[in-house]
Amino acid sequence: MEVIAAMLAGGHPNSLGRTDEVVGLVVADRSRLQELVECYRSGDPVVRMRTSSALKRVEAAHHAWLVPLLDELIDDVGTLDQPSARWTLAELFLRLGADMTAGQRDRATALLKRNLEQQTDWIVLIRTMDTLFQWSDGDPGLRTWLQPHLRRLAKDTRRSVARRAQEFAAVDTP
């Protein structure tokens, strides 16, 4: 049985390498899901990036499988200083939000708020805005917190970031 971390290593850093093959293995054998998640502990940023890609695909195939991993994703993977991990978590949190406990939702929200305050990667910012904005629907406190950050990001020099922030900020503007 081939080790997942080894399957995700090597090749061109911008390619998916054998990610699809890894997804197939995990989908066929749920017991390998934890092995995939543990690849976030790799010292190789390419392995961690491909882990993110694989995990999103596994979630799409078997959403419920990730619910028991929420604490690990929030508390462990959430500490990684790698953009691909941060934007993947923002996407997964949005998909898994309804399955979170109140405590998990609070910790995930705190993590996403830090992303919006401290991160500069454009994809991290966009994915984080997406999740927080959707979560702020029906949460006036979160919406109030989010608005000044949207106004700040609406002036970002990167058109994609500015445009997305403007779209969200416009929702609350009379």
Side-chain angles (χ1 to χ4, degrees), residues 59 63-64 66-67 70 93 95-101 104-105:
E59 184 279 331
H63 173 87
L66 270 68
V67 174
L70 277 166
F93 291 166
R95 296 178 192 177
L96 295 163
D99 300 298
M100 291 181 175
T101 66
Q104 289 168 333
R105 178 76 170 250

Side-chain angles (χ1 to χ4, degrees), residues 94-146:
L94 183 56
R95 296 178 192 177
L96 295 163
D99 300 298
M100 291 181 175
T101 66
Q104 289 168 333
R105 178 76 170 250
D106 289 345
R107 293 190 334 268
T109 300
L111 175 65
L112 294 173
K113 284 179 171 181
R114 281 193 305 275
N115 282 353
L116 215 53
E117 292 171 331
Q118 300 171 4
Q119 298 301 307
T120 58
D121 180 88
W122 69 275
I123 302 174
V124 171
L125 293 172
I126 289 172
R127 295 295 176 245
T128 300
M129 280 189 282
D130 288 345
T131 301
L132 287 175
F133 186 78
Q134 289 191 45
W135 283 3
S136 73
D137 188 31
D139 183 342
L142 181 56
R143 184 64 61 101
T144 298
W145 179 91
L146 187 56

